[in-house]
Amino acid sequence: MTAHRVKFDVIAEPVQVVTGTLLTEAAHEAGIDIAQPCGGQGRCGRCALQVVGGSESRSSVRSRSTLRLSPEDVAQGYVLACQAVVEGDVSIHVPPQEALERRLTTDRTVAEVQVPAGYDPAIDQTIRRVALTLTPPSMDDQTDDWSRLQTALRQETGIGELQVSLSLLRKIGPVLREGEWEVTAVLNLESRGQKVEGLQSPISNLQSAKLIDLQPGHIPADAPLWGAAIDIGTTTVSVWLVDLLTGEVVQQAAEYNRQIRRGEDVISRIIFASKNNGREEMRRLVLESINGLLERVVKRASSEWRVVDDQQLATNNQPPATNNQPPATNNQPPATNNQPPATNNIVKATIAGNSTMMHLLLGIPAESIRLSPFVTAVNHIPPLTAREVELAIHPEAAVDCLPGVASYVGADITAGALSSGLDDSEQVSLFMDIGTNGETVLGSHDWLVTCACSAGPAFEGAGVEHGMRATRGAIEEVWINSDTYEPTIRVIGDAAPKGFCGSGLISLLAEMFVTGVIDKGGNFNTSLPTTRIRKGAHGLEYVVVWANEGVNRDIAITHVDVDNLLRAKAAIYAGFTVLADAVGVPLETVERVLIGGAFGKYINVEKAVEIGLLPDMPWENFHFLGNTAVLGAYYALLDEKQRARIADIASRMTYIELSADNSFFEAFTSALFLPHTDMSLFPSVAGS
Amino acid sequence: MTAHRVKFDVIAEPVQVVTGTLLTEAAHEAGIDIAQPCGGQGRCGRCALQVVGGSESRSSVRSRSTLRLSPEDVAQGYVLACQAVVEGDVSIHVPPQEALERRLTTDRTVAEVQVPAGYDPAIDQTIRRVALTLTPPSMDDQTDDWSRLQTALRQETGIGELQVSLSLLRKIGPVLREGEWEVTAVLNLESRGQKVEGLQSPISNLQSAKLIDLQPGHIPADAPLWGAAIDIGTTTVSVWLVDLLTGEVVQQAAEYNRQIRRGEDVISRIIFASKNNGREEMRRLVLESINGLLERVVKRASSEWRVVDDQQLATNNQPPATNNQPPATNNQPPATNNQPPATNNIVKATIAGNSTMMHLLLGIPAESIRLSPFVTAVNHIPPLTAREVELAIHPEAAVDCLPGVASYVGADITAGALSSGLDDSEQVSLFMDIGTNGETVLGSHDWLVTCACSAGPAFEGAGVEHGMRATRGAIEEVWINSDTYEPTIRVIGDAAPKGFCGSGLISLLAEMFVTGVIDKGGNFNTSLPTTRIRKGAHGLEYVVVWANEGVNRDIAITHVDVDNLLRAKAAIYAGFTVLADAVGVPLETVERVLIGGAFGKYINVEKAVEIGLLPDMPWENFHFLGNTAVLGAYYALLDEKQRARIADIASRMTYIELSADNSFFEAFTSALFLPHTDMSLFPSVAGS
């Protein structure tokens, strides 16, 4: 046998190995510990190394599998150490582990939120903040305060018609006088119907607006002017705090919908809401969730803004102590103590959510949603105010509930169809929201069809014993060593593991299937030589993390959990197969698969295909988009044209009622296996 | 001396009297008791008799004075018995006393409210009630309830855009199902700005409307559909309940504004409202007044409507007992017990009132009204809902606060200018509202100027020890016998006297002046031979009614009362003299004097001129209009064109600020005498 020199860049001396030696073995020889979470099966991609040097060097290594590497990775000389054998002298770059992880995950993680290119609040935004200087009244000009304000506003902006609530009307006189006839107004421009061409230009003469706030003085241009993009999921509520001036997402927060204690799916929520005082309780619970999140994001953002503010004060050489004194010319006592809460800086909210969530938020009876013929009370909700809705933001804030399509295809899906770009492309795309309700949209620029199948909350980490949201401490990926059945995990944040988020569950389910911990029916194999498969309180389970210092009890996945996950993935897969069949578009002709859902940062396509959650297609066709509903709400919050586009999507979508479709139940039953009863649908899994 | 035969129609035999005998003496001779409340001074008109027969008969009686008779009376042969002497044979008709009173007062009482000629709710009214039959949803038509309702409404009426509150949106699904897809909607059509030409035609395609109510089933066409016309006076609050289908005023009620306990005039109310929780207390007090009146008129009207309803049921041979059972086809439990209150049948309210009252009703700070430069917070109040205002009518009801002109010329005056017809005539007219604030408008079709002088509440019966509103038991006219100083009174209703209303006070003041009980400065003459002038707890007073069975204490007018009345009448007179001077229109060229105010039924022009409250003009120039503010609100409630006319009046009126006008104080001082310092202004009083 020929000996070859293998030079690792992290070690001074090369090692000598014989032909056919795995790179993992060569590395071990050199004293380098290469991680192999999957046990050297070529499944985890964590052992990627880069062959450096010219084509000669590259041909000295033969790869048996590059399954976990992208074509770009391969072109750059990356190989999987556990799948590559040495056949000549070679130089190897060992990337730092973190660099490896980052690179590997890049094209499969949700992109950071980008402010839409060219966002211009003076054109796109309906909210405007305007500084006004009024002519003070005199004996020669006894015009009333409200007319005086409107005149100043008309002169400054050209707005012809101004609406105001009685509550705000009460404040106008005192504010004008406190500001000594200098004030700052916050307005919401009214779009006239769904057509918004007029908004392309700055404010027009004919435009009407609603006065949302009036504050004394000309307030600093960088003072907060916020909006909130909100998604009310059946399982998870998400809130983004948005700077309406820059368009930036200032803060994000999410938590479980507190309604979950009254039922995991929309049907049980509707039933609960229809009894006794259930409707009001449901409304209160989701309001608590949203308002808690709003307070949280504002608290975080306010502390940041105050820091800036204090610095500005320092630059002005005004020590904070003297700042509490009113200016000498101002005889009014300082307003101070009853200052409005910082949440009052949120002057607009745009809300996505499925139809049931929207009804329950607004206290609208939802019974008709679950009873044939399954109609909502309202799909296009009129403009509301925060006062009416009882959102804990500025009481006059505009609350825009995005439009839905049907009882089971709500505003979360119209918003998602927008933010995914589904409606804006010539390509036929499949968009799915992997959440509790499992809605799917198939279509393109020209047509859109949609359906919904109740998937349950498993992929949001609920309805699973150790499930959790994708926050710090969530296990987001799992590899199981196919020899030892020992797992390796990746946890979000630098924290002890607490449970599994959605991506962790997909990963775990796939690994258990591939390593034989469970069979294609989801049954545990108790004959394997591992103590991790055991009988627990809820039947058989696989222990992923043993209790230890940071973990106060074993973290396991149970048979019940597996069943829930199987049903969830089967419902989702059945939904889009039925949809594709219904419009006669074979799944394999779908050009893009756009996936939204409350996952962690990292989604493993391979594993999602392995369990039959996603159709078996080239990986590059998949695009993970994160929470598409809140993203769509964010776009609509910023730009009236995007808002109009969502209304257009809602009116264009054709809804297919699955309850009236026998083929759904068949497709669901067929999909209750790993990956599927019909393995011909999953050639890449069958062939591996 | 020649003897003459005088034949009274109520006595069989004629009497014989000598030439020059007064008819009162001839009647006495015949055994007929002719009332002479004024002591035979020709001032009260209560002794009017009719000379019957031809011209010969008429020439047999010579009248010394016909001051209290109208030209029509004289033409019909009426004479005052105390002023007519017999000069030949004559036949006399003695009218029954009640007929006399009714005839005498006819042209000086406020006309009954007439429904405006040609009122057509389908053209004039913004409120429409529409019966709708919807296509029920099915698996082939899963349109949401709200869209379904809008479609049905569009098909039925052509209304293109429908607004709804969140509260009402919550009801829609249940109501549609309870009514089995037959419902009755109540709408408020939106006028687009102040121009209302479009409303001339039935509902147009472009029209938008607000949904105010939705009820299950097609409710009977004669079921109540009410509006409320409301005037909030500083002293008196008036409510008219109006049938919007016929335009008829169904009920009227009025009571003192409960704010009166916190100050008699607007200034003291504003001061009270600016302290502590005063603003909220003021708002509550006036709401209590209005809401109490609303409940009262609805209770009365509902009992009437129920009577009709019960009769209908009887005709249908359905005994009331079986009526509680739902129809056999209806599986729903009867809604019954939590039925909305009858006040919910009021779906629109139009409110007049001075600017301070309007601010206090709405909880808008009113401080700027009393501080130079005297500006209101708002003159043109945007459309509101009863929910916002907390009026006890349908919570979605449209509340239309009529527009004012300035701090001291409010919506009561713009409404009054409309209902008086001031703005609609080529003639130059003087319009005055004899209430607490003493507003006056001078003008015509072409121009309008206005001012206000605080008159105080005396002419509304407040601020006077025994004052009261013009209700049952109020003394509305007084005559004092010039020989005995004994008074005769007329009381509203068949009741014991309780106190004086405004017209009673005018009458009493004039009688005291004419008979010398007081002098032109208002000082009591203690040397007269009567026990009725005495020293009371508050100085000198004149006792009108002694305590007796029905009257538990003496009813007197005090020196303080007289001073208050003098100041009130002086302020009013000074107001319109200054106004006339300011625009250079001599008072004597004014063609009409239009007088509004919360008087009783009967206003005695002669006496009002005698005390110098009204300018000395031919009586036929005076027109008493009652509460012109609530009348204007009533017109605006019925007809959008009248509403637009009020807005037009408000924008056209030029306001003259009396506080900036020294001549007002001079005019006021000059008018503090009976009738005036300058007697040349009152030739008819000087010459009598």
Side-chain angles (χ1 to χ4, degrees):
Chain A
M1 278 197 191
T2 319
H4 308 291
R5 285 162 47 101
V6 181
K7 171 69 175 77
F8 293 96
D9 62 353
V10 291
I11 300 288
E13 291 300 309
V15 292
Q16 300 276 343
V17 297
V18 296
T19 301
T21 304
L22 279 171
L23 274 180
T24 46
E25 290 163 3
H28 186 69
E29 193 86 3
I32 300 166
D33 188 26
I34 302 287
Q36 293 182 76
C38 71
Q41 301 291 306
R43 290 185 287 103
C44 72
R46 295 285 286 272
C47 64
L49 302 178
Q50 189 178 17
V51 180
V52 292
S55 59
E56 196 180 329
S57 183
R58 296 221 185 153
S59 65
S60 301
V61 169
R62 182 170 58 83
S63 272
R64 301 198 301 229
S65 168
T66 55
L67 203 64
R68 286 289 289 156
L69 297 174
S70 69
E72 291 76 27
D73 290 340
V74 174
Q76 287 174 33
Y78 277 92
V79 294
L80 297 178
C82 71
Q83 301 293 316
V85 292
V86 179
E87 298 191 336
D89 292 351
V90 65
S91 289
I92 301 290
H93 167 58
V94 182
Q97 191 61 28
E98 63 189 282
L100 184 68
E101 286 189 5
R102 195 175 304 131
R103 191 181 52 77
L104 275 173
T105 63
T106 298
D107 69 343
R108 291 175 203 119
T109 53
V110 175
E112 292 295 309
V113 180
Q114 298 289 326
V115 176
Y119 172 65
D120 183 348
I123 292 176
D124 304 320
Q125 187 48 251
T126 63
I127 296 287
R128 306 291 169 98
R129 190 162 61 191
V130 186
L132 298 171
T133 302
L134 282 67
T135 313
S138 66
M139 290 303 284
D140 295 328
D141 173 11
Q142 293 178 313
T143 307
D144 60 292
D145 296 342
W146 173 234
S147 300
R148 188 175 300 278
L149 178 65
Q150 286 181 94
T151 301
L153 189 68
R154 195 177 303 117
Q155 288 169 350
E156 183 69 29
T157 66
I159 289 173
E161 195 187 328
L162 191 61
Q163 288 146 46
V164 67
S165 75
L166 179 55
S167 310
L168 189 48
L169 199 54
R170 288 175 181 148
K171 279 180 55 184
I172 285 171
V175 168
L176 290 178
R177 286 166 186 82
E178 188 185 341
E180 296 179 345
W181 309 99
E182 290 194 346
V183 290
T184 305
V186 176
L187 310 171
N188 189 29
L189 303 185
E190 200 172 66
S191 70
R192 298 182 175 276
Q194 307 298 0
K195 305 291 179 205
V196 289
E197 291 87 350
L199 279 175
Q200 286 282 13
S201 58
I203 303 169
S204 85
N205 257 327
L206 291 171
Q207 195 128 34
S208 75
K210 191 177 168 212
L211 186 66
I212 289 186
D213 195 22
L214 191 71
Q215 293 175 41
H218 290 171
I219 68 171
D222 67 340
L225 185 69
W226 289 329
I230 299 171
D231 172 48
I232 309 171
T234 308
T235 304
T236 305
V237 177
S238 304
V239 169
W240 289 7
L241 184 68
V242 178
D243 182 332
L244 297 179
L245 299 170
T246 64
E248 278 165 14
V249 177
V250 178
Q251 291 288 340
Q252 299 184 358
E255 69 164 37
Y256 283 136
N257 186 333
R258 293 187 196 178
Q259 290 176 338
I260 212 165
R261 70 182 72 154
R262 299 300 182 206
E264 284 186 352
D265 54 32
V266 295
I267 299 299
S268 47
R269 305 260 178 101
I270 292 170
I271 292 170
F272 184 89
S274 67
K275 290 178 186 166
N276 304 321
N277 199 33
R279 180 146 56 96
E280 181 59 15
E281 182 176 344
M282 282 303 199
R283 196 175 76 85
R284 288 275 148 224
L285 286 171
V286 71
L287 275 174
E288 280 173 22
S289 301
I290 300 171
N291 290 341
L293 290 169
L294 286 165
E295 273 165 36
R296 193 189 305 169
V297 292
V298 165
K299 196 168 176 184
R300 288 191 209 141
S302 298
S303 60
E304 285 176 14
W305 190 74
R306 290 223 182 274
V307 170
V308 174
D309 203 27
D310 288 349
Q311 285 171 346
Q312 288 178 330
L313 289 176
T315 316
N316 294 343
N317 286 326
Q318 289 187 320
T322 62
N323 196 39
N324 289 325
Q325 298 188 353
T329 56
N330 187 350
N331 290 321
Q332 306 254 350
T336 56
N337 287 336
N338 45 11
Q339 273 206 333
T343 44
N344 266 27
N345 292 319
I346 304 180
V347 293
K348 184 181 178 185
T350 302
I351 305 182
N354 66 62
S355 300
T356 301
M357 291 304 106
M358 211 65 105
H359 281 60
L360 294 180
L361 168 70
L362 301 178
I364 298 173
E367 285 89 323
S368 60
I369 289 178
R370 81 174 180 95
L371 300 173
S372 176
F374 315 111
V375 300
T376 61
V378 52
N379 287 335
H380 289 257
I381 294 158
L384 300 170
T385 63
R387 176 180 289 112
E388 287 177 287
V389 181
E390 297 184 52
L391 280 190
I393 58 179
H394 195 297
E396 306 292 338
V399 175
D400 181 12
C401 297
L402 295 175
V405 174
S407 280
Y408 298 107
V409 174
D412 48 349
I413 301 309
T414 56
L418 173 102
S419 66
S420 69
L422 172 69
D423 71 313
D424 203 24
S425 168
E426 300 292 325
Q427 293 183 305
V428 173
S429 308
L430 186 67
F431 163 68
M432 70 192 74
D433 189 344
I434 303 186
T436 317
N437 306 299
E439 299 94 341
T440 304
V441 187
L442 183 63
S444 69
H445 186 270
D446 296 320
W447 54 274
L448 297 165
V449 291
T450 180
C451 73
C453 45
S454 185
F459 287 121
E460 294 178 77
V464 168
E465 189 169 345
H466 288 272
M468 65 181 288
R469 288 195 314 104
T471 55
R472 192 175 144 89
I475 299 169
E476 61 171 349
E477 186 147 35
V478 180
W479 302 269
I480 299 176
N481 187 305
S482 52
D483 295 328
T484 62
Y485 306 103
E486 285 299 298
T488 306
I489 59 173
R490 177 161 55 197
V491 177
I492 297 177
D494 184 18
K498 291 180 194 158
F500 309 102
C501 67
S503 58
L505 288 166
I506 291 170
S507 178
L508 176 57
L509 195 65
E511 285 290 292
M512 291 198 297
F513 172 54
V514 168
T515 57
V517 172
I518 55 174
D519 66 13
K520 66 181 292 180
N523 305 300
F524 283 89
N525 183 351
T526 51
S527 63
L528 294 182
T530 173
T531 55
R532 290 185 180 263
I533 299 172
R534 69 179 187 191
K535 187 137 187 147
H538 302 101
L540 289 170
E541 62 186 20
Y542 173 78
V543 181
V544 177
V545 182
W546 298 111
N548 61 34
E549 273 180 55
V551 181
N552 54 16
R553 56 175 188 157
D554 297 346
I555 300 176
I557 182 164
T558 69
H559 184 70
V560 176
D561 296 342
V562 170
D563 278 356
N564 280 339
L565 289 165
L566 270 183
R567 276 201 299 275
K569 78 96 190 172
I572 291 168
Y573 190 84
F576 51 72
T577 52
V578 167
L579 199 61
D581 287 354
V583 293
V585 172
L587 264 186
E588 53 269 28
T589 67
V590 169
E591 291 162 275
R592 295 188 303 169
V593 180
L594 311 168
I595 302 166
F599 293 106
K601 270 178 77 176
Y602 186 99
I603 301 114
N604 190 320
V605 181
E606 182 189 3
K607 289 178 176 174
V609 172
E610 276 172 0
I611 65 168
L613 169 63
L614 297 181
D616 197 357
M617 291 185 178
W619 294 355
E620 57 268 27
N621 290 13
F622 293 97
H623 301 271
F624 289 90
L625 306 171
N627 186 336
T628 49
V630 73
L631 187 65
Y634 164 68
Y635 290 154
L637 173 72
L638 286 186
D639 188 343
E640 188 68 358
K641 292 185 296 300
Q642 299 302 320
R643 173 62 179 82
R645 211 176 114 195
I646 292 180
D648 182 56
I649 288 170
S651 67
R652 284 171 53 210
M653 268 191 192
T654 304
Y655 173 65
I656 294 179
E657 175 69 53
L658 292 188
S659 69
D661 193 334
N662 267 334
S663 63
F664 174 74
F665 188 70
E666 283 170 33
F668 173 72
T669 312
S670 302
L672 272 174
F673 292 85
L674 292 169
H676 198 273
T677 310
D678 180 0
M679 286 302 287
S680 74
L681 295 170
F682 289 84
S684 79
V685 182
S688 68
Chain B
M1 278 194 192
T2 318
H4 308 291
R5 285 161 48 98
V6 182
K7 170 72 176 77
F8 293 95
D9 61 353
V10 292
I11 300 289
E13 291 299 310
V15 290
Q16 301 276 343
V17 295
V18 297
T19 302
T21 304
L22 279 171
L23 274 180
T24 45
E25 290 162 4
H28 185 72
E29 193 86 3
I32 302 166
D33 188 27
I34 302 286
Q36 293 183 76
C38 71
Q41 300 293 303
R43 289 186 286 104
C44 70
R46 293 285 286 273
C47 63
L49 302 178
Q50 189 178 18
V51 179
V52 292
S55 59
E56 196 179 331
S57 183
R58 294 219 185 155
S59 64
S60 301
V61 170
R62 182 171 56 82
S63 271
R64 302 196 303 228
S65 166
T66 55
L67 203 64
R68 286 289 290 155
L69 297 174
S70 69
E72 291 76 27
D73 291 340
V74 174
Q76 287 174 33
Y78 277 91
V79 294
L80 297 178
C82 71
Q83 300 293 314
V85 292
V86 179
E87 297 192 337
D89 293 352
V90 65
S91 290
I92 300 290
H93 166 58
V94 183
Q97 193 60 30
E98 62 191 278
L100 185 68
E101 287 190 3
R102 195 177 303 130
R103 193 182 51 76
L104 273 172
T105 62
T106 299
D107 71 341
R108 294 177 198 117
T109 54
V110 175
E112 293 295 309
V113 180
Q114 298 289 326
V115 177
Y119 172 65
D120 182 349
I123 292 175
D124 305 320
Q125 186 49 253
T126 64
I127 296 287
R128 305 291 168 99
R129 190 163 60 189
V130 187
L132 297 171
T133 302
L134 282 67
T135 312
S138 66
M139 291 301 286
D140 295 328
D141 174 10
Q142 293 178 314
T143 308
D144 60 291
D145 297 340
W146 173 235
S147 299
R148 189 174 299 278
L149 178 66
Q150 286 180 96
T151 301
L153 189 68
R154 196 177 302 117
Q155 287 168 351
E156 182 71 28
T157 66
I159 288 173
E161 196 188 327
L162 192 61
Q163 288 146 46
V164 66
S165 75
L166 179 54
S167 310
L168 189 48
L169 198 54
R170 289 174 180 147
K171 278 180 54 182
I172 285 171
V175 168
L176 289 179
R177 286 166 185 80
E178 189 185 340
E180 297 179 345
W181 309 99
E182 290 195 345
V183 291
T184 305
V186 176
L187 310 170
N188 190 29
L189 303 184
E190 200 172 67
S191 70
R192 300 183 173 277
Q194 307 298 0
K195 304 291 179 205
V196 287
E197 291 88 350
L199 279 174
Q200 286 284 13
S201 58
I203 302 168
S204 85
N205 257 325
L206 291 171
Q207 195 128 32
S208 74
K210 194 180 164 208
L211 186 66
I212 288 186
D213 195 22
L214 191 72
Q215 293 176 40
H218 290 171
I219 69 171
D222 67 338
L225 184 71
W226 288 329
I230 300 171
D231 171 49
I232 309 171
T234 308
T235 304
T236 306
V237 177
S238 303
V239 169
W240 290 6
L241 184 69
V242 179
D243 182 332
L244 297 178
L245 299 171
T246 63
E248 278 166 15
V249 177
V250 178
Q251 291 288 341
Q252 299 185 0
E255 68 163 39
Y256 282 136
N257 186 333
R258 294 188 195 177
Q259 289 176 339
I260 212 165
R261 70 183 71 154
R262 299 300 184 207
E264 284 185 352
D265 54 32
V266 295
I267 298 300
S268 46
R269 305 260 178 102
I270 292 170
I271 292 170
F272 184 88
S274 67
K275 290 178 185 166
N276 304 319
N277 198 34
R279 180 147 54 96
E280 180 58 15
E281 181 175 345
M282 282 303 198
R283 194 174 75 86
R284 289 273 148 226
L285 286 170
V286 72
L287 275 174
E288 280 172 22
S289 301
I290 299 171
N291 289 341
L293 290 169
L294 285 165
E295 274 164 36
R296 193 188 305 168
V297 291
V298 165
K299 197 168 176 182
R300 286 191 210 143
S302 298
S303 60
E304 285 177 15
W305 191 75
R306 290 221 182 274
V307 169
V308 175
D309 203 26
D310 288 349
Q311 285 170 345
Q312 288 178 331
L313 289 177
T315 316
N316 294 342
N317 285 327
Q318 290 188 320
T322 63
N323 196 39
N324 289 325
Q325 297 187 354
T329 56
N330 188 348
N331 290 320
Q332 306 254 350
T336 57
N337 286 337
N338 46 11
Q339 275 206 330
T343 44
N344 266 28
N345 292 320
I346 304 180
V347 294
K348 183 181 179 185
T350 303
I351 305 182
N354 66 62
S355 301
T356 301
M357 291 304 106
M358 211 66 105
H359 281 59
L360 294 180
L361 169 70
L362 301 178
I364 298 172
E367 285 89 325
S368 61
I369 289 178
R370 81 174 181 96
L371 300 172
S372 175
F374 315 111
V375 300
T376 61
V378 53
N379 286 337
H380 290 257
I381 293 157
L384 299 171
T385 63
R387 176 179 289 112
E388 286 177 289
V389 181
E390 297 184 52
L391 279 191
I393 58 178
H394 195 297
E396 306 292 339
V399 175
D400 181 13
C401 296
L402 295 174
V405 175
S407 279
Y408 299 107
V409 175
D412 49 348
I413 301 309
T414 57
L418 172 100
S419 64
S420 69
L422 172 69
D423 72 312
D424 202 25
S425 168
E426 300 293 324
Q427 293 182 304
V428 173
S429 308
L430 186 67
F431 164 68
M432 69 193 74
D433 189 344
I434 303 186
T436 318
N437 306 298
E439 299 93 340
T440 304
V441 186
L442 184 63
S444 69
H445 186 271
D446 297 320
W447 54 274
L448 296 165
V449 290
T450 181
C451 72
C453 46
S454 185
F459 288 121
E460 295 177 74
V464 168
E465 190 170 345
H466 289 273
M468 65 180 288
R469 287 193 316 104
T471 55
R472 193 175 142 88
I475 299 168
E476 62 170 348
E477 185 146 36
V478 180
W479 302 270
I480 298 176
N481 187 306
S482 51
D483 295 327
T484 63
Y485 307 103
E486 285 300 298
T488 306
I489 60 174
R490 176 159 58 196
V491 177
I492 296 177
D494 184 18
K498 292 181 194 158
F500 309 102
C501 66
S503 57
L505 288 165
I506 291 169
S507 178
L508 176 56
L509 195 65
E511 286 289 292
M512 291 197 297
F513 172 54
V514 168
T515 57
V517 172
I518 54 175
D519 66 12
K520 66 180 293 180
N523 306 299
F524 284 89
N525 182 352
T526 51
S527 64
L528 294 182
T530 172
T531 56
R532 290 185 180 263
I533 300 172
R534 68 178 187 192
K535 187 140 186 141
H538 302 100
L540 290 170
E541 62 187 20
Y542 173 77
V543 181
V544 177
V545 181
W546 297 113
N548 60 36
E549 274 179 55
V551 181
N552 54 15
R553 57 175 186 159
D554 297 346
I555 300 175
I557 183 164
T558 69
H559 184 71
V560 175
D561 297 340
V562 170
D563 277 357
N564 280 339
L565 289 165
L566 271 183
R567 278 202 297 274
K569 77 97 189 172
I572 291 166
Y573 190 85
F576 52 71
T577 53
V578 165
L579 199 61
D581 287 355
V583 293
V585 171
L587 264 187
E588 54 270 26
T589 67
V590 168
E591 291 161 275
R592 295 188 303 170
V593 180
L594 310 169
I595 302 166
F599 292 107
K601 271 178 76 177
Y602 185 101
I603 301 116
N604 190 319
V605 181
E606 182 190 2
K607 289 177 176 175
V609 173
E610 277 172 0
I611 65 168
L613 168 64
L614 298 181
D616 197 357
M617 292 185 178
W619 294 354
E620 56 270 25
N621 290 13
F622 293 97
H623 302 270
F624 290 89
L625 306 171
N627 186 336
T628 49
V630 73
L631 187 65
Y634 164 67
Y635 291 154
L637 173 71
L638 286 186
D639 189 343
E640 188 69 358
K641 293 184 296 301
Q642 300 301 319
R643 173 63 179 81
R645 211 176 114 196
I646 292 179
D648 181 57
I649 288 169
S651 68
R652 285 170 53 211
M653 268 192 192
T654 305
Y655 174 66
I656 295 177
E657 174 70 52
L658 291 188
S659 69
D661 193 335
N662 266 335
S663 62
F664 174 73
F665 188 70
E666 284 171 33
F668 173 72
T669 311
S670 302
L672 271 175
F673 292 86
L674 291 168
H676 198 274
T677 309
D678 181 359
M679 285 301 287
S680 74
L681 295 171
F682 288 83
S684 80
V685 183
S688 67

